[in-house]
Structures are given as structure tokens and as C-alpha cells.
């Protein structure tokens, strides 16, 4: 230290310059250190996020859902997003979105960026930058030899407009008769809400889970002060307008001879409980989903889902929902289904039970995760081999699936249940592993039904997928305002999810249906369900 001090110059100006240079260098080093520290934090957060994502996927595949894990993932994703934004703000390197994968020089680097993918149907505007016809150096004529095209993703902000409908009055010079065009029908008679606006509100509320009070704030920024009470009324009246269509969709889906069924809890405000000071005025209802999806076996009927609300978990609601259904019901082991599987006076049950191997697999996985039991691990491996076969026959016709299952899956299923009976004698009679074995053995016929009918799936995943939007929505609206609100939610989900399952944009679909349903003949209602729908107006957004 003293040696360096002896070598310092005596000129104060030079010393000041050296100190300033050192300060600049220190600032640069501190910035680099801060950037490296932030990057390390991002990587640490990314690792934790990936670990929790894996845990979540394992829970979805094998175990019971865990709200605690879901909350941890949500908070971790928010923290990760904030850190990534902070790192991007400090990043001075040029942006290169031309590659989706990491470079060969750094194959292990995490791919934090990828090029956006934009549909070919998205509107494109071409802007040409032309150098002219003369060379800027010699003045010679220029000829086109090619072009370099790059894309810039831009956004046209949503905006409102007021459509003024002017009905010109005319009188006849000869007979003095007044002539005027009749007023066009509206989705809600007497209301100024147009079909585009109503479709936007419905999809935002029931599919994007954006509450009406937030939509009110958005519309206010766009220059339209629409009271929340008015939005509520418009939503209710629009759903009433769609009622014939929803009933037609429900009748078609519930008329199927093979349905998937599942339910999920939903919190509902109860004024009676609130007045009594009980349960904070909130009760737990259920949303049931009944799904038809024949795509895995190349069936001809289009996919769709029917949602029903029930104020509690009593079996009477399920018995009412499925009162007229015959055929096969694929569902979990909810006791309310038991009466549906009982033989009728002719000895034949109205519904045959198809069990879900995913539910059985979860029971074994939960026990294995807590005890690392070798028996539970072997059960998981045996069930996993059945899924290996299913992956190869997914999307094949029913007869192909049936033949493959008879040849490959049936011996494995028979061996699994024979092995289960042997293991049941070895394990304690009251632990969870024994319960899992008894659950499978008591429903052996239901678990084997997929072997004798190529239409039957190995699990109930279609119904579980249909309930995911409800789970996502609960994070935004927390609870339904009343039983009637939950019923409206179920009916709205029926029409929106039917459109999505048939690869339609639900908003474009609702715009067209709301615009024409009042003028549509009731005996031609079969033209409006998503699987038969064809728009009359080519593009509402273009006219808007």
C-alpha cells in the first residue's frame, strides 16, 4: 500500500483525473456485479420454479390437487417475472429474436427468449423502403435483385363506436302513405348494446374471468361510462337470448351414449348464512361437467361439454342431471353414481361404469411419495405400461383400439389384479395402500371396461380438462354472488367451451349468433350449435 503511495504523482490535477477514472471503473464493476447477482437470482428462481412446476405436473398426473403448491407456484412465477423484467432493463446486448433455441456456443444456456409466433391469418401491413431508381454514387439505373423482409409486431388498441341507425321516413305523393324501413332486431330488445360489444363482455367475464367492475374501468378509459348495473343487466339479458341455443347444445351432448363426468367445488355467497353469522356468509357448491369427446377414437359426433351447478354435493343433483342418459359413464368413484349403475327391472343397468385409472394411480403415487414403498412403485410401473399402449392407439378408430387392447392390455390388466390380490394379503388392512388395492379390486369390472369397448378411454381426463377453466376463474372472482350467478356461469361455460372444443373463436361465434338469433327460425336452430355453425356475415370486425 505504501509502495503504491510512493509511486503516485505529486500533481493534484493528475491525481484528480486518476481518482475520477477509478470511480468510473468502480461504478462499471459494481454494475457488472449487480447484473451478475441479478442473473444468478434469476437462475435460482428459475430452478425453483421448474421444480415446483414438476411437482405440480406430478400432482396433476398422480396425486390430489394441492392449493398450497398452486399458491407457491403463482407467487414464484410473479417473482420470476419481476426479476426477468429487471434483468432485461439492464441488458445492453442487442436483441436477437431470430433463433428459438440456445446458440451452439452455449448449448446449456437457458432459453429466456424466443421469437413470437404469429398466425398467418393475422392482418399484415407492408411498408416498402425504396432507394429510388438512380444509384446514389454514379447515377446509374437501379434494378431489383431481391429484398430483405423483417416483421414488426404492432397492436391496434381496442376502440368503441356508436352505430347510428337512421330510418328515413318517406311519404307517397299520390296516396300520402308513410313508408319507412322496419327497425332491425337487436340482441337485447330496447338496449343499445350491439352484438360485438355483448360478445366481448361475455367472453371477457366467463372465459377470460375479468369481473364486470374491471370491464367498467376499461370502458371508462375508452370514453364510455357504462354503469356496472347496466353491464350486469346486459349479461343477464344476453344469456336469456342465448337460452334456446344453450338448451339445444345441452340436449345434444346429454343425448350421447358415452359421457365423461367430474365436479369441482365453487364458493357461493349465501345471504341466509350471512344473516345468521355462519361460515362468513359463504357456502361450497359444486360445478359438474359432462363431456362428450370422441376424437380419441375417431368418432363422428363433435366434442362438447355441459356444465351444471349444484348447491351441495348430494347425489340427488347427479341423478337429476343424468336422468335421461343411457350408455356408459366414465367418472371417479363418487358414491352418488351408484344408483345409476344398479340394474333396472329388466336386469340391465341404465348406465355402465367406466372407471378412471388416473384416480387409482394417484392413490398409489400418494402412498409411494410418503413411504417410498416398493409395492406402490411396482403398481405405478404396471399402470404406466398400460398408458404406453394407450399412447400408440390414441386417435385410432374404435375397432383398432379394441384389437390392440385385447392383444396387449388385457393380459397386463389381468396380471395387475391377480398381483393386487396377492399384495393385499401382505399389507396392513387399514393403511392407504390396502385401501388403494381394495378400491381397484372392488371396481375391477369398471376398470376393465375399456378393454371390451374401443370407445372407452382409460381415464377421465376429458372431464378434468373441462373443469380447469373453473379453477382458473376462482383465482379472479373467488366466489359466485348467488346460486343463480353460479347457474349463469355454468350455462355460459357450456356455450363458450363448446365453441373452443370445436376450434372456434368464442367471441367471433357469439357475435354472429347474437346478431342473428332473433331473426333465426326456431325450426332451424340446429344450424347454430358450434359444430354446425357457419357465419353469414364474413367479418364483423372489418365492418367495425
Amino acid at each position: 500500500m505504501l509502495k503504491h503511495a510512493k509511486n503516485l504523482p505529486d500533481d493534484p490535477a493528475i491525481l484528480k483525473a486518476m481518482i475520477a477514472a477509478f470511480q468510473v471503473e468502480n461504478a462499471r464493476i459494481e454494475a457488472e456485479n449487480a447484473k451478475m447477482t441479478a442473473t444468478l437470482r434469476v437462475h435460482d428462481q428459475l430452478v425453483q420454479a421448474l421444480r415446483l412446476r414438476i411437482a405440480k405436473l406430478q400432482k396433476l398426473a398422480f396425486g390430489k390437487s394441492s392449493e398450497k403448491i398452486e399458491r407457491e407456484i403463482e407467487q414464484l412465477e410473479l417473482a420470476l417475472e419481476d426479476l426477468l423484467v429487471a434483468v432485461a432493463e439492464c441488458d445492453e446486448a442487442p436483441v436477437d429474436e431470430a433463433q428459438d433455441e440456445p446458440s451452439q456456443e452455449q448449448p446449456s444456456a437457458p432459453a429466456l427468449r424466443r421469437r413470437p409466433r404469429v398466425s398467418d391469418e393475422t392482418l399484415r401491413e407492408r411498408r416498402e423502403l425504396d432507394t429510388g431508381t438512380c444509384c446514389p454514387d454514379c447515377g446509374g439505373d437501379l434494378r431489383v435483385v431481391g429484398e430483405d423482409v423483417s416483421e414488426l409486431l404492432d397492436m391496434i388498441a381496442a376502440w368503441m363506436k356508436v352505430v347510428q341507425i337512421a330510418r328515413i321516413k318517406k311519404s307517397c305523393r299520390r296516396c300520402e302513405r308513410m313508408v319507412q324501413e322496419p327497425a332491425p332486431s337487436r340482441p337485447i330488445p330496447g338496449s343499445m348494446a350491439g352484438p360485438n360489444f355483448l360478445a366481448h363482455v361475455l367472453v371477457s367475464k366467463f372465459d377470460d374471468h375479468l369481473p364486470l367492475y374491471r370491464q367498467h374501468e376499461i370502458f371508462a378509459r375508452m370514453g364510455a361510462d357504462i354503469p356496472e348495473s347496466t353491464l350486469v343487466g346486459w349479461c343477464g339479458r344476453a344469456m336469456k337470448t342465448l337460452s334456446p341455443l344453450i338448451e339445444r347444445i345441452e340436449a345434444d351432448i346429454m343425448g350421447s351414449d358415452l359421457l365423461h363426468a367430474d365436479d369441482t367445488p365453487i364458493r357461493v355467497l349465501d345471504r341466509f348464512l350471512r344473516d345468521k353469522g355462519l361460515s362468513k356468509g359463504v357456502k361450497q357448491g359444486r360445478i359438474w361437467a359432462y363431456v362428450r369427446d370422441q376424437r380419441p377414437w375417431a368418432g363422428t359426433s363433435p366434442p362438447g361439454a355441459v356444465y351444471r351447478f349444484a348447491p351441495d354435493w348430494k347425489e340427488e343433483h347427479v341423478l337429476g342431471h343424468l336422468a335421461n342418459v343411457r350408455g356408459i359413464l366414465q367418472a371417479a368413484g363418487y358414491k352418488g353414481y351408484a344408483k345409476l349403475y344398479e340394474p333396472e327391472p329388466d336386469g340391465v343397468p341404465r348406465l355402465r361404469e367406466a372407471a378412471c385409472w388416473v384416480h387409482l394411480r394417484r392413490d398409489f403415487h400418494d402412498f409411494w411419495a410418503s413411504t417410498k414403498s416398493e409395492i406402490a412403485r411396482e403398481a405405478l410401473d404396471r399402470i404406466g405400461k398400460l398408458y404406453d399402449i394407450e399412447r400408440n392407439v390414441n386417435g385410432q378408430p374404435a375397432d383398432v383400439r379394441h384389437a390392440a387392447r385385447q392383444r396387449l392390455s388385457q393380459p397386463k390388466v389381468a396380471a395387475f389384479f391377480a398381483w393386487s390380490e396377492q399384495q393385499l394379503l401382505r399389507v396392513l388392512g387399514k393403511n392407504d395402500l390396502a385401501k388403494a388395492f381394495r378400491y381397484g379390486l372392488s371396481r375391477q369390472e369398471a376398470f376393465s371396461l375399456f378393454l371390451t369397448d374401443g370407445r372407452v378411454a382409460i381415464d377421465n381426463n376429458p372431464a378434468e380438462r373441462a373443469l380447469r377453466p373453473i379453477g382458473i376463474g376462482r383465482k379472479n372472482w373467488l366466489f359466485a354472488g348467488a346460486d343463480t350467478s353460479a347457474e349463469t356461469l355454468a350455462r355460459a361455460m357450456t356455450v363458450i367451451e363448446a365453441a373452443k372444443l370445436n376450434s372456434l373463436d368464442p367471441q367471433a361465434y357469439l357475435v354472429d349468433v347474437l346478431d342473428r338469433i332473433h331473426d333465426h327460425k326456431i325450426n332451424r336452430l340446429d344450424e347454430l350449435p358450434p359444430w354446425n355453425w357457419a357465419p353469414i356475415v364474413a367479418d364483423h370486425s372489418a365492418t367495425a
Side-chain angles (χ1 to χ4, degrees), residues 77-144:
E77 286 176 340
L78 289 173
L80 178 62
E81 181 180 284
D82 292 340
L83 285 172
L84 290 173
V85 171
V87 170
E89 183 180 2
C90 300
D91 191 0
E92 298 179 356
V95 176
D96 183 11
E97 294 174 340
Q99 296 181 352
D100 290 349
E101 303 297 334
S103 63
Q104 295 181 355
E105 299 177 357
Q106 296 178 329
S108 61
L112 299 181
R113 282 200 191 107
R114 71 166 179 82
R115 183 176 178 81
R117 300 186 182 99
V118 184
S119 169
D120 293 337
E121 299 177 356
T122 302
L123 178 66
R124 279 172 168 75
E125 173 186 333
R126 180 180 171 89
R127 299 179 185 178
E128 293 187 356
L129 304 179
D130 196 343
T131 57
T133 58
C134 298
C135 176
D137 291 338
C138 67
D141 294 336
L142 297 177
R143 68 178 186 276
V144 177

Side-chain angles (χ1 to χ4, degrees), residues 25-38 90 92:
E25 181 66 14
N26 286 338
R28 184 186 66 80
I29 293 174
E30 289 178 358
E32 290 182 357
N33 288 338
K35 183 177 178 180
M36 292 176 63
T37 301
C90 300
E92 298 179 356

Side-chain angles (χ1 to χ4, degrees), residues 419-470:
W419 173 79
S420 297
E421 291 178 348
Q422 297 174 0
Q423 302 308 311
L424 192 56
L425 300 176
R426 299 174 52 190
V427 300
L428 296 176
K430 294 185 178 181
N431 68 9
D432 291 337
L433 183 58
K435 292 179 182 178
F437 279 124
R438 282 196 293 269
Y439 176 79
L441 290 170
S442 64
R443 291 177 168 80
Q444 185 171 345
E445 182 180 353
F447 278 108
S448 302
L449 185 59
F450 81 104
L451 300 172
T452 59
D453 193 329
R455 302 172 304 160
V456 179
I458 193 173
D459 54 41
N460 198 32
N461 283 347
E464 294 190 3
R465 286 194 297 268
L467 289 172
R468 285 179 187 170
I470 302 294

Side-chain angles (χ1 to χ4, degrees), residues 250-267:
E250 291 177 346
D252 194 289
I253 300 299
M254 300 304 285
S256 303
D257 58 357
L258 197 161
L259 286 176
H260 295 265
D262 203 358
D263 67 288
T264 189
I266 176 176
R267 302 178 69 197

Side-chain angles (χ1 to χ4, degrees), residues 265-286 309 311 474 477-483:
I266 176 176
R267 302 178 69 197
V268 183
L269 291 181
D270 190 315
R271 185 171 299 177
F272 174 78
L273 293 178
R274 186 185 63 187
D275 294 341
K276 296 291 184 179
L278 301 174
S279 303
K280 298 181 180 180
V282 178
K283 67 179 180 181
Q284 182 166 283
R286 313 292 294 191
F309 168 74
R474 281 195 299 250
W477 36 261
L478 300 180
F479 47 73
D483 286 358

Side-chain angles (χ1 to χ4, degrees), residues 252-253 256-258 292-304 395-398 455 502 531-532:
D252 194 289
I253 300 299
S256 303
D257 58 357
L258 197 161
R292 176 179 68 192
D293 192 353
Q294 300 182 358
R295 292 173 295 182
W297 52 274
T300 57
S301 297
Q396 300 293 324
R455 302 172 304 160
N502 287 272
W531 45 84
N532 294 331

